[in-house]
Amino acid sequence: MLTFAARRSVLAIPTLLFISFVIFMLLQLAPGDPMAQVPLTVPPEVKQKMREALGLGQPPLVQYWKWLVQVFWTEPKVFIDYLTNSSSLLGWLPDTSLYNSEQRVLSWQTRSPVMDIVVQRIPQTLWVVGLSYIVGILIALPIGIYSAYRQYSVFDQAGTFITMVGFSIPPFFTGPLLIVIFSVQLGWFPSIYDTTLVVNDWASFKVQLQQMIMPVMVLALQTTAQISRYMRASMLDNLNQDYVRTARAKGLSEAVVVMVHVLRNSMIPVVTVIALGVPGIFGGAIITENVFKVNGIGQLLITALFANDLPMVMTLTFIFAFLIVLFNLIADILYGILDPRIRYD
């Protein structure tokens, strides 16, 4: 298993490099000018110097190489310095001082380091996206298990209907619908997510929960719909296997047969859906964050696209690609843990 994980980790490096190169070249073909927002009163020679400072006057391959150096060499040094200097976890270690004012990836829109902005936005996204994914999984697994065990029952048919609704209705419709019902008509929850809220007591914690309910519901609906159907189909496939009849013939209780033997084998294909769904839920959050005005990385990506901020778009799309490769590796490793028949070494 360790050999397989190490081999896959090494192979992930050229994969990510190829993905980053493709993304970079596609963005180079995108129309627009990052200097278009500069006031007309700025002289042309000043604009030219600004272009050179942004690296716009250099060939694309040179720009790509500089981006690679900044992302894979400079930014890790900044992160290590932060861990040993400012973080509460490793702040007791001696300050490394690896970063020596090298050029970092700068946003064309804000003229500040891209990773600093991303780090500021990630907590808001994790609050909404992470919680919605956990809630969706916790709801989907029991629904899928019980629907398969009670196939064609009223519960199974109701679950099938709800999952069809979850698959069919996109977030850009579900979000405004919930706002109209629960914010405008009933007035239960705020329609705009307050990212400046500081949770330091019980009252502020309740406000945080209230403003998280609707965006979490929108994202959790799609997660529940997808995972519960995969869980149901996988459970139905294993419930009819010979080893299940053998376990029952040996006198094992129904709970042990279903929750130990059947569930473990049924989780193998579901693990792929859960692992690969993590990057997908971040992509779905792009729409949800804009609907509820959550100041996360999804809204940051939309803002960067409208502003033609290529360094920001490039970095965020690469982060999404990195998540896909990472959770592919995690899913493959979990296969060997869940299924003893699978051995990579």
Side-chain angles (χ1 to χ4, degrees):
M1 184 66 70
L2 293 177
T3 304
F4 170 78
R7 185 168 62 249
R8 283 294 304 272
S9 300
V10 172
L11 290 176
I13 296 176
T15 303
L16 290 173
L17 290 175
F18 177 75
I19 292 174
S20 65
F21 180 76
V22 171
I23 294 173
F24 183 86
M25 297 310 296
L26 288 176
L27 290 177
Q28 289 294 318
L29 299 176
D33 185 2
M35 304 297 296
Q37 304 298 328
V38 177
L40 298 177
T41 55
V42 177
E45 58 273 12
V46 177
K47 287 185 178 181
Q48 182 61 30
K49 291 182 179 180
M50 293 173 66
R51 288 179 182 274
E52 294 176 358
L54 293 174
L56 300 179
Q58 298 175 341
L61 291 179
V62 176
Q63 296 181 41
Y64 174 68
W65 171 252
K66 288 188 174 182
W67 181 86
L68 285 180
V69 173
Q70 293 165 4
V71 170
F72 291 100
W73 179 251
T74 304
E75 294 298 339
K77 292 195 294 184
V78 175
F79 180 68
I80 293 173
D81 287 349
Y82 164 76
L83 290 179
T84 58
N85 185 24
S86 303
S87 68
S88 57
L89 181 62
L90 300 175
W92 53 273
L93 293 174
D95 191 3
T96 54
S97 299
L98 297 176
Y99 176 66
N100 295 317
S101 301
E102 295 97 340
Q103 180 66 43
R104 301 177 64 186
V105 182
L106 297 180
S107 168
W108 291 351
Q109 185 180 11
T110 63
R111 305 299 190 264
S112 58
V114 168
M115 292 307 299
D116 289 352
I117 304 174
V118 173
V119 170
Q120 294 173 3
R121 300 291 189 97
I122 281 180
Q124 302 296 338
T125 298
L126 292 180
W127 265 106
V128 176
V129 176
L131 183 61
S132 67
Y133 204 60
I134 294 174
V135 170
I137 293 174
L138 293 179
I139 296 175
L141 294 181
I143 290 177
I145 294 170
Y146 194 76
S147 295
Y149 189 71
R150 298 295 185 184
Q151 188 180 15
Y152 303 131
S153 63
V154 175
F155 181 88
D156 183 27
Q157 293 176 359
T160 302
F161 174 76
I162 294 175
T163 54
M164 288 178 61
V165 173
F167 272 124
S168 304
I169 302 179
F172 61 80
F173 178 82
T174 311
L177 179 63
L178 294 182
I179 291 176
V180 171
I181 296 175
F182 294 105
S183 295
V184 178
Q185 300 295 332
L186 300 177
W188 291 356
F189 309 119
S191 61
I192 297 178
Y193 189 95
D194 183 11
T195 56
T196 62
L197 177 65
V198 178
V199 180
N200 50 18
D201 53 18
W202 178 249
S204 59
F205 180 72
K206 290 196 298 184
V207 174
Q208 177 69 15
L209 287 180
Q210 287 179 339
Q211 69 177 1
M212 288 177 60
I213 287 177
M214 288 199 296
V216 168
M217 286 173 58
V218 171
L219 292 173
L221 176 61
Q222 289 191 324
T223 302
T224 303
Q226 182 184 26
I227 296 178
S228 64
R229 301 315 294 169
Y230 277 99
M231 189 75 248
R232 178 183 181 273
S234 183
M235 286 288 294
L236 286 175
D237 184 58
N238 283 277
L239 281 170
N240 297 321
Q241 297 295 324
D242 293 337
Y243 73 88
V244 177
R245 288 189 289 269
T246 302
R248 287 170 175 164
K250 288 182 176 180
L252 296 178
S253 65
E254 195 67 11
V256 173
V257 172
V258 175
M259 301 305 297
V260 177
H261 296 279
V262 178
L263 180 60
R264 178 171 180 174
N265 290 327
S266 301
M267 284 298 296
I268 296 173
V270 179
V271 162
T272 304
V273 180
I274 294 176
L276 298 183
V278 174
I281 199 69
F282 276 93
I286 295 175
I287 299 175
T288 306
E289 286 184 1
N290 279 273
V291 170
F292 294 99
K293 306 303 179 185
V294 180
N295 197 21
I297 60 175
Q299 190 185 56
L300 179 63
L301 179 59
I302 295 296
T303 304
L305 286 171
F306 280 111
N308 198 33
D309 190 353
L310 297 187
M312 180 68 72
V313 176
M314 175 72 182
T315 304
L316 290 176
T317 51
F318 180 75
I319 291 175
F320 291 150
F322 173 78
L323 290 175
I324 294 174
V325 174
L326 173 64
F327 283 95
N328 263 293
L329 175 61
I330 293 175
D332 289 339
I333 294 175
L334 289 177
Y335 281 161
I337 297 176
L338 292 172
D339 192 347
R341 297 170 298 178
I342 299 175
R343 287 293 177 263
Y344 297 115
D345 297 336

